């Protein structure tokens, strides 16, 4: 179960894919997620699918060909391996006919084994072209305006049209940076849902996601993103009180694989996310932990008005160079940092929902 989206963000070709893997087994507990440590609690409402791990579902085959997969992992291993062998060293993306020719030989086996397999993505020759392919015997790679597929597609698509309480850094210089921040807000919402309610897990996607964008010459994953989540309360006079970040997530692209670290009350949980078709024998140590210095940040704020009980979630994307909103500094000891929010700026965002919100 998953969600993969091939679409344009601010006019730029983008690919977004989550990391969660699920199956139908009932005899084993969920793989432990630091975002939702209570999932295997027998008192809680059971999820429809068992979570059994996290892997990378998006793959940049070459600089002008990027794909994402939803379906059964054994099918992904066949298809990803073939596409990488066939087009990995090419300097341009394949045509849709070439994609069909490369993958059609696997359809009989995939269908015989009753596996699901859908690939969506972008191929660039003279111009970027969005496409969708499935393993159905009578299907072909088809051009589409956009493709959002997987068990979480409906919920994910709804989130794209929800622009409420979202902000952008004022230091954005071009469409690429704006597209990056738009993508970060989308992924930040996935993580916010998972931390606050876990509703995304019901439809089988989550543990964050990653974003690949076309720079004009090549596809590349956004290299590093810091996600911070804060709790704010408004007292009887509208005054804001701030708690330390409840959780911090650091994503970093490492080329063949990516890292996602969850920091919760000083405890650190580091995951190495390898491609569906290549686990790489990856073994991580403390030395692999990413630091918190990132070019992009997401600020998620869960705010509650104690007078009415009203809750609001604000999602703000910002650039590291935008010191007016967010600042990070090294503690002087190891891989530890201090995070600072400009609360006057935050109060301005909060007033969209709570008109009398004020910092002092």
């Amino acid at each position: 179960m998953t969600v993969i989206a091939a679409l344009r963000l601010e006019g730029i070709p983008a690919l977004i894919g989550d990391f969660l893997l699920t199956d139908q087994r009932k005899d084993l507990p969920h793989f432990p997620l630091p975002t939702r440590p209570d999932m295997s609690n027998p008192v809680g409402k059971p999820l429809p699918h068992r979570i059994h791990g996290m892997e990378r579902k998006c793959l940049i085959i070459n600089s002008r060909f990027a794909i994402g997969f939803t379906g059964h992992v054994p099918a992904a291993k066949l298809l990803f391996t073939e596409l990488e062998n066939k087009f990995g060293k090419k300097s341009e993306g394949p045509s849709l006919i070439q994609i069909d020719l490369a993958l059609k030989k696997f359809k009989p086996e995939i269908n015989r084994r009753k596996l699901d397999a859908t690939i969506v993505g972008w191929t660039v020759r003279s111009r970027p072209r969005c496409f969708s392919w499935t393993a159905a015997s009578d299907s072909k790679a088809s051009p589409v305006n956009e493709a959002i597929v997987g068990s979480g597609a409906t919920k994910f698509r709804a989130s794209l049209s929800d622009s409420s309480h979202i902000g952008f850094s004022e230091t954005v210089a071009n469409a690429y940076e704006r597209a990056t921040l738009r993508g970060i807000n989308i992924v930040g919402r996935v993580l916010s849902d998972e931390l606050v309610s876990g509703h995304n897990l019901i439809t089988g996607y989550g543990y964050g996601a990653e974003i690949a964008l076309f720079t004009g010459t090549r596809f590349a994953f956004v290299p590093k993103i810091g996600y911070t989540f804060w709790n704010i309360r408004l007292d009887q006079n509208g005054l804001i009180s701030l708690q330390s970040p409840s959780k911090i997530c650091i994503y970093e692209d490492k080329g063949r694989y990516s890292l996602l670290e969850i920091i919760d009350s000083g405890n650190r949980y580091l995951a190495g996310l390898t491609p569906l078709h290549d686990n790489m024998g990856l073994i991580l140590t403390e030395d692999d932990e990413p630091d918190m210095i990132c070019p992009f940040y997401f600020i998620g704020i869960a705010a509650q008005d104690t007078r009415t009980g009203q809750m609001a979630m604000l999602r703000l994307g910002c650039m590291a160079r935008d010191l007016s909103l967010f600042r990070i500094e090294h503690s002087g000891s190891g891989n530890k940092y201090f995070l600072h929010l400009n609360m006057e700026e935050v109060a301005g965002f909060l007033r969209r929902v709570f008109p009398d919100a004020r910092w002092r």
Side-chain angles (χ1 to χ4, degrees):
M1 298 300 196
T2 190
V3 66
I4 300 292
L7 72 174
R8 289 183 181 269
L9 297 176
E10 305 299 319
I12 291 179
L15 186 67
I16 300 175
D18 80 310
F19 298 125
L20 203 67
L21 296 180
T22 62
D23 62 27
Q24 302 292 335
R25 295 192 64 168
K26 306 295 184 183
D27 58 326
L28 294 174
H30 291 292
F31 184 92
L33 294 182
T35 51
R36 301 296 301 181
D38 58 345
M39 284 187 310
S40 292
N41 184 345
V43 177
K45 185 177 180 180
L47 294 174
H49 309 284
R50 185 184 77 98
I51 295 168
H52 74 88
M54 302 88 70
E55 287 189 0
R56 192 177 219 182
K57 304 171 189 175
C58 293
L59 185 66
I60 296 176
I61 301 291
N62 65 44
S63 63
R64 301 169 79 82
F65 185 30
I67 60 173
F69 175 89
T70 178
H72 291 98
V73 173
K77 293 180 184 295
L78 295 172
L79 302 175
F80 273 16
T81 299
E82 179 67 13
L83 291 174
E84 199 165 51
N85 289 340
K86 204 86 168 177
F87 306 113
K89 296 181 180 180
K90 303 291 185 181
S91 59
E92 66 176 4
S95 68
L96 299 190
I97 292 175
Q98 289 174 321
I99 293 172
D100 272 327
L101 290 174
L103 300 182
K104 70 176 184 179
K105 63 184 177 184
F106 297 105
K107 286 186 176 184
E109 180 179 354
I110 291 172
N111 291 317
R112 178 181 58 80
R113 296 170 64 182
K114 297 182 179 180
L115 303 176
D116 293 324
T118 297
I119 289 176
V120 301
W122 293 88
T123 182
V124 182
R125 294 169 74 84
S126 60
R127 59 182 176 81
R129 198 173 197 186
C130 189
F131 73 93
S132 175
W133 178 94
T134 75
S137 57
D138 58 347
S139 70
K140 293 184 177 181
S142 303
V144 293
N145 290 327
E146 67 176 31
I148 302 174
V149 296
S151 58
T154 300
K155 183 175 176 62
F156 185 87
R157 189 180 292 277
S159 73
L160 297 178
S161 60
D162 179 11
S163 60
S164 60
H165 319 323
I166 290 177
F168 289 102
S169 165
E170 294 181 356
T171 64
V172 172
N174 51 52
Y176 177 83
E177 290 181 351
R178 189 171 180 85
T180 301
L181 293 183
R182 175 86 189 282
I184 288 170
N185 273 328
I186 292 168
V187 175
R189 176 166 183 146
V190 174
L191 281 166
S192 299
D193 285 351
E194 193 163 316
L195 292 171
V196 174
S197 67
H199 286 164
N200 59 299
L201 299 176
I202 295 172
T203 51
Y205 76 98
Y207 207 66
E210 60 187 345
I211 312 152
L213 295 170
F214 187 60
T215 66
T217 58
R218 60 190 292 268
F219 282 100
F221 288 105
V222 176
K224 194 176 182 183
I225 309 166
Y227 297 90
T228 66
F229 299 91
W230 309 72
N231 293 306
I232 284 179
R233 293 168 67 87
L234 278 70
D235 70 10
Q236 297 300 307
N237 298 309
L239 282 172
I240 297 170
S241 61
L242 174 71
Q243 298 179 11
S244 297
S246 57
K247 283 186 174 65
I248 299 168
C249 307
I250 306 296
Y251 162 87
E252 185 172 11
D253 172 49
K254 302 295 285 185
R256 185 66 169 174
Y257 67 98
S258 57
L259 298 174
L260 187 69
E261 183 166 50
I262 310 293
I263 305 170
D264 182 6
S265 302
N267 297 312
R268 308 176 80 105
Y269 306 88
L270 180 63
L273 304 159
T274 56
L276 288 170
H277 66 311
D278 182 8
N279 67 20
M280 300 174 59
L282 188 64
I283 299 175
L284 300 176
T285 69
E286 187 175 324
D287 293 336
D288 294 299
E289 291 182 352
D291 62 35
M292 293 179 62
I293 305 301
C294 306
F296 302 97
Y297 292 93
F298 170 86
I299 301 170
I301 299 174
Q304 181 180 30
D305 188 335
T306 59
R307 297 163 295 187
T308 64
Q310 182 182 357
M311 297 285 297
M313 185 74 198
L314 280 75
R315 303 182 297 279
L316 315 171
C318 70
M319 315 282 291
R321 63 175 181 261
D322 185 2
L323 300 180
S324 65
L325 179 62
F326 176 82
R327 182 166 54 87
I328 184 169
E329 61 178 301
H330 192 259
S331 68
S333 174
N335 193 10
K336 297 180 180 178
Y337 295 82
F338 296 120
L339 308 178
H340 305 276
L341 284 179
N342 182 332
M343 294 307 298
E344 293 292 350
E345 291 287 327
V346 171
F349 283 108
L350 284 174
R351 282 192 287 272
R352 299 179 184 182
V353 188
F354 310 111
D356 63 343
R358 56 195 177 93
W359 174 231
R360 288 187 175 89

